Amino acid sequence: LTHRYFKKFQYCGYAPHVRSCKPNTDGISSLENLLASIIQRVFVWVVSAITCFGNIFVICMRPYIRSENRLHAISIMSLCCADCLMGIYLFVIGAFDLKYRGEYNKHAQLWMDSIHCQLVGSLAILSTEVSVLLLTYLTLEKYICIVYPFRCLKPRKCRTISILVLIWVIGFAIAFIPLSNKELFRNYYGTNGVCFPLHSEQSESSGSQIYSVAIFLGVNLAAFIIIVFSYGSMFYNVHQTAITATEIRKHIKKEMILAKRFFFIVFTDALCWIPIFIFKLLSLLQVEIPGTITSWVVIFILPINSALNPLLYTLTTRPFKEMIHQVWYNYRQKRSKRGKSSQKKYSPSFIWVEMWPVHEIPPKVVKPVLCTDSSDASVTTQSTRLN
C-alpha cells in the first residue's frame, strides 16, 4: 500500500509503513512528531521549567518565612509538591517528543500502550486532583475562621497532617484505579499522544468514559462549586457584619489577607477548569471537538495554574517581600564597609523583628527595666532592641 485513508488519525499507527496516511494529525500529534505544532514543542519546555523552578523555589524558601503559621506553610508546601508533578509530567512528554522526533508514527501504538504512558498520565491526574482537593481544604479552613470567628478552633498539627495524608491517598486512588482493571478501563490513559484522559470522543470502553465524567464533572466540579460558594459567603459576611471589638477586627483582617490571596488562586483555577467543564459537557452531547483544542487544554490551560500558584501564594506576599528587602539591605550594609562607627550606629530594622513569631520573644525582653541614669536608659534600650 502507498496510500491509506482512515476516519481517525489513531488508526494510522496500525499502518506505520504506508507512505501516505490520512488524516495526518489529530491536533495533538502528527505522523512525524508526538507534538504536532512547533508552538506546542516550545511551550511544553517553557511551562515545565517555570512550573518546576517556581514550586521548588517556594518549597526551599518557605522554612525561612517565619511570620506565618507553620501548619499553613506545610499545606502550602504540599500544594507545591502537587503542582511540581505537573511540571514533571510536561518534562517527560517533551522528552519523549524529542525521542520520537521525525518518526513518531512508527512508535505511536507502542508509546500509547506502554507503561511509561500509563504512569505519566496517572502522574498528571494525581497532580490535578491533589491540587483541587488541597485548595478546597484550605478554602474551607479560611471560611470557618472568617464566618465563625468565635467558634474558630486553631488547627492542630495531628489533624492537619492527617487531612493532608488523606488527600494524597485519595489522589493516588483516583489516579491509579484505571490501571488496576484493564478489562473495565482498557487503555484509559492511552487515548492520545500526551496520555491525558480527557476522553473528548466516545471511547471504546464505557467504563473509561463514565470514570472520566465522574472525575471532571463530579469531583472537580463539586470542589469548584464549594470553593466559589465559600469565598462568596466569606466576603458577603465580612461586608455585612459590623465588628466593633478591636481583637476580633484584627483577627478578621489577618484572615482576610490570606483569603484574598487564595481568592486569586481560585480565580486562576476557574480560568483553568471552566474550559475543561465545558469541554466535557460538549463531549457528552457528542459535539465534535477538534484535537487542537485538546492540545491547548493539556499544554497551555491546565498547567498554567500550577505555574502561577507560587507567584500568587508566596512570591507576592508581604513576609516574602520583607525578607527579600532585609537580605538586600544587609548585603548593601556589608558591601559598604563604612567602619566600626557606622556599624555601632546600625540597629536591626523593624521588618526583621516582625519576621519572628511573637511567642518566641523571651519574656524578659518585654518587661520594662528601671533605670536611674539617662545613659543607662539608652544602653538598656539599645540592648533590648538588639535582643
Side-chain angles (χ1 to χ4, degrees):
L1 291 175
T2 57
H3 294 77
R4 196 70 175 91
Y5 300 91
F6 290 109
K7 183 179 180 180
K8 296 181 181 180
F9 165 76
Q10 283 78 7
Y11 296 147
C12 286
Y14 293 101
H17 301 292
V18 175
R19 184 181 305 173
S20 177
C21 186
K22 299 293 183 178
N24 56 9
T25 181
D26 62 347
I28 300 177
S29 305
S30 64
L31 296 178
E32 292 80 16
N33 302 308
L34 193 154
L35 297 175
S37 172
I38 183 64
I39 300 176
Q40 299 172 8
R41 294 196 292 270
V42 171
F43 270 86
V44 72
W45 291 102
V46 173
V47 178
S48 173
I50 294 175
T51 303
C52 291
F53 175 78
N55 286 282
I56 292 174
F57 178 76
V58 169
I59 293 173
C60 295
M61 293 301 297
R62 268 287 165 181
Y64 297 98
I65 303 178
R66 301 290 300 276
S67 65
E68 293 192 5
N69 191 309
R70 289 185 178 180
L71 297 180
H72 174 73
I74 292 175
S75 300
I76 294 297
M77 287 190 289
S78 182
L79 184 61
C80 286
C81 293
D83 291 333
C84 193
L85 294 179
M86 181 60 69
I88 297 175
Y89 158 75
L90 293 175
F91 176 81
V92 174
I93 293 298
F96 275 96
D97 174 64
L98 288 177
K99 181 179 179 180
Y100 299 138
R101 184 68 54 85
E103 52 179 14
Y104 173 69
N105 194 44
K106 296 180 180 179
H107 311 278
Q109 287 302 317
L110 292 176
W111 159 244
M112 289 188 289
D113 294 335
S114 66
I115 188 63
H116 301 92
C117 182
Q118 309 300 314
L119 293 178
V120 168
S122 60
L123 195 69
I125 292 296
L126 174 65
S127 173
T128 55
E129 296 308 307
V130 171
S131 180
V132 168
L133 294 176
L134 279 172
L135 286 174
T136 306
Y137 162 67
L138 292 170
T139 302
L140 290 175
E141 187 180 26
K142 294 297 107 184
Y143 172 79
I144 295 173
C145 290
I146 291 176
V147 178
Y148 305 102
F150 295 100
R151 302 179 186 177
C152 179
L153 299 176
K154 293 183 178 180
R156 298 179 180 179
K157 184 176 181 180
C158 182
R159 190 186 72 175
T160 301
I161 293 178
S162 299
I163 292 175
L164 294 180
V165 171
L166 179 62
I167 288 175
W168 279 96
V169 170
I170 294 174
F172 271 100
I174 293 175
F176 289 96
I177 280 178
L179 301 181
S180 62
N181 193 333
K182 290 290 184 180
E183 295 181 359
L184 178 62
F185 296 100
R186 297 190 182 179
N187 195 3
Y188 181 76
Y189 292 106
T191 57
N192 51 54
V194 294
C195 307
F196 195 84
L198 280 176
H199 293 280
S200 58
E201 299 178 358
Q202 295 295 326
S203 60
E204 297 178 359
S205 172
S206 59
S208 299
Q209 188 72 21
I210 294 173
Y211 191 75
S212 178
V213 172
I215 292 177
F216 292 106
L217 294 183
V219 178
N220 294 348
L221 183 58
F224 179 74
I225 292 174
I226 291 173
I227 291 173
V228 172
F229 172 78
S230 299
Y231 275 98
S233 179
M234 274 191 283
F235 289 114
Y236 177 80
N237 184 271
V238 169
H239 286 291
Q240 294 295 324
T241 305
I243 300 175
T244 57
T246 305
E247 294 183 358
I248 301 299
R249 186 184 304 156
K250 290 181 179 179
H251 172 79
I252 294 293
K253 184 178 180 180
K254 181 180 178 180
E255 297 295 336
M256 280 301 297
I257 291 174
L258 293 176
K260 289 179 180 179
R261 192 195 321 165
F262 277 102
F263 170 78
F264 288 105
I265 298 175
V266 173
F267 179 73
T268 58
D269 278 346
L271 294 179
C272 295
W273 283 106
I274 288 177
I276 295 178
F277 296 149
I278 298 174
F279 194 79
K280 291 299 296 182
L281 286 173
L282 292 177
S283 66
L284 287 178
L285 298 175
Q286 299 184 358
V287 177
E288 185 177 355
I289 301 173
T292 308
I293 298 179
T294 305
S295 64
W296 276 85
V297 169
V298 174
I299 297 177
F300 296 94
I301 298 179
L302 192 62
I304 204 66
N305 175 57
S306 300
L308 289 178
N309 276 349
L311 179 67
L312 292 173
Y313 54 65
T314 296
L315 304 184
T316 58
T317 59
R318 182 181 59 85
F320 180 81
K321 292 179 180 179
E322 291 175 352
M323 185 185 67
I324 296 299
H325 175 76
Q326 185 63 35
V327 170
W328 175 248
Y329 183 79
N330 292 339
Y331 172 76
R332 292 182 61 184
Q333 288 291 326
K334 292 180 180 179
R335 190 178 180 181
S336 61
K337 295 181 181 180
R338 295 180 179 177
K340 295 182 179 180
S341 59
S342 61
Q343 292 178 359
K344 291 181 179 180
K345 295 179 181 179
Y346 169 73
S347 61
S349 64
F350 176 75
I351 297 176
W352 181 256
V353 177
E354 191 183 30
M355 299 301 295
W356 293 82
V358 178
H359 66 272
E360 294 185 5
I361 300 178
K364 61 181 181 179
V365 178
V366 182
K367 295 181 180 179
V369 181
L370 296 176
C371 302
T372 56
D373 190 14
S374 60
S375 61
D376 294 336
S378 63
V379 173
T380 304
T381 304
Q382 181 70 15
S383 63
T384 302
R385 294 170 64 189
L386 290 176
N387 288 332

